[in-house]
Amino acid sequence: MKRFVALMVGVSLLCVPLFVRADAATPDMLVKNTVQEVIAALKQEKDKKKIQALVDEKVLPLFDFTLMTKRAVGPAWKTATAEQKKVLVDEFRDLLVRVFIAKAFTENGDRTVKFEPAKYAEGDDQVTVKTLILTQGKESIAVDYDLKKTAAGWKVVDLAIAGPRLGLDIYSNQFREPLQQSGIDGLMKFLEGKNHAAESAVAAATRKVEAK
């Protein structure tokens, strides 16, 4: 549970700011130049619908969900058809949005972010941006961003929050069993089930809030 809360806090603070200043020269400056701006915006905005709109507009375009899905699926990705790959990417994106991004904006607290010295050289096309979330009265949380330079600019291809990476560690482990049992079709059903459960949980939470 503690790790899950850490994931929520990490994504709420740092997934959003990366896309706000797309003109930043380097990925580390992209983070540094925007994080305080976005934290301030989130503190002022309380409307959940507007926050969700912010997620859709600013957060989602930053991520390379295709590459994230490919990394999480592993070698089995090569055996999937084009249609299966599309389904996997769509389902994985929806799951990340529901579980790690959209829900993250319910977190509150007086937070600041410390940036580790960047290890980045001109010409590099991959870099990890290391940050530390500091929240008054709580343990600090390390959040690392794996970014890759693409034709569309720098994109996040994985996140390491309080240790494990979402794609290469957390979900790659969860995908292993359904892949071994039923292949790509089994993984698609697994993701669909995860999304259905997440959607039901969000709906239940919304009804509970509205009933108060």
Side-chain angles (χ1 to χ4, degrees), residues 18 27-28 30-31 62 125-129 145-149 154-158:
L18 292 172
D28 57 317
L30 184 63
V31 177
L62 175 65
D125 62 357
Q126 297 187 61
V127 63
T128 297
V129 177
Y145 292 91
D146 292 341
L147 294 100
K148 182 177 178 62
K149 193 172 186 179
W154 286 98
K155 298 287 184 178
V156 173
V157 296
D158 216 339

Side-chain angles (χ1 to χ4, degrees), residues 145-192:
Y145 292 91
D146 292 341
L147 294 100
K148 182 177 178 62
K149 193 172 186 179
T150 71
W154 286 98
K155 298 287 184 178
V156 173
V157 296
D158 216 339
L159 292 170
I161 305 177
R165 276 170 166 70
L166 299 188
L168 291 180
D169 298 322
I170 295 177
Y171 280 110
S172 63
N173 289 329
Q174 292 187 26
F175 290 176
R176 189 171 294 114
E177 184 174 348
L179 280 171
Q180 290 175 345
Q181 292 181 348
S182 307
I184 293 296
D185 287 335
L187 179 57
M188 289 192 296
K189 290 181 180 179
F190 172 81
L191 283 169
E192 289 170 358

Side-chain angles (χ1 to χ4, degrees), residues 5-204:
V5 173
L7 288 167
M8 296 300 98
V9 177
V11 176
S12 67
L13 269 175
L14 298 170
C15 282
V16 177
L18 292 172
F19 188 69
V20 178
R21 290 284 298 279
D23 60 337
T26 62
D28 57 317
M29 290 303 296
L30 184 63
V31 177
K32 290 180 180 180
N33 290 346
T34 59
V35 63
Q36 297 302 332
E37 177 184 350
V38 174
I39 289 175
L42 291 176
K43 286 182 178 179
Q44 295 176 3
E45 185 57 71
K46 302 300 181 182
D47 188 299
K48 289 186 177 181
K49 290 184 178 180
K50 291 183 179 180
I51 290 175
Q52 182 61 57
L54 178 65
V55 172
D56 293 342
E57 179 184 359
K58 302 297 184 182
V59 180
L60 302 193
L62 175 65
F63 287 78
D64 189 327
F65 287 108
T66 298
L67 186 51
M68 288 186 73
T69 307
K70 179 180 178 180
R71 287 184 169 191
V73 173
W77 177 263
K78 296 180 180 180
T79 69
T81 65
E83 183 178 352
Q84 288 175 323
K85 288 177 179 178
K86 183 181 184 306
V87 172
L88 288 173
V89 172
D90 290 346
E91 292 291 340
F92 192 36
R93 180 194 61 224
D94 290 348
L95 183 61
L96 289 175
V97 171
R98 286 193 175 101
V99 177
F100 293 108
I101 298 178
K103 288 179 64 178
F105 294 99
T106 61
E107 293 291 337
N108 297 311
D110 184 13
R111 294 162 288 190
T112 58
V113 180
K114 177 182 178 181
F115 298 90
E116 300 295 331
K119 295 181 179 180
Y120 173 79
E122 186 176 355
D124 288 349
D125 62 357
Q126 297 187 61
V127 63
T128 297
V129 177
K130 295 180 177 292
T131 67
L132 195 64
I133 301 173
L134 307 175
T135 306
Q136 186 174 5
K138 298 181 180 180
E139 294 183 16
S140 61
I141 302 169
V143 180
D144 297 346
Y145 292 91
D146 292 341
L147 294 100
K148 182 177 178 62
K149 193 172 186 179
T150 71
W154 286 98
K155 298 287 184 178
V156 173
V157 296
D158 216 339
L159 292 170
I161 305 177
R165 276 170 166 70
L166 299 188
L168 291 180
D169 298 322
I170 295 177
Y171 280 110
S172 63
N173 289 329
Q174 292 187 26
F175 290 176
R176 189 171 294 114
E177 184 174 348
L179 280 171
Q180 290 175 345
Q181 292 181 348
S182 307
I184 293 296
D185 287 335
L187 179 57
M188 289 192 296
K189 290 181 180 179
F190 172 81
L191 283 169
E192 289 170 358
K194 283 279 189 180
N195 274 315
H196 179 72
E199 185 176 2
S200 297
V202 170

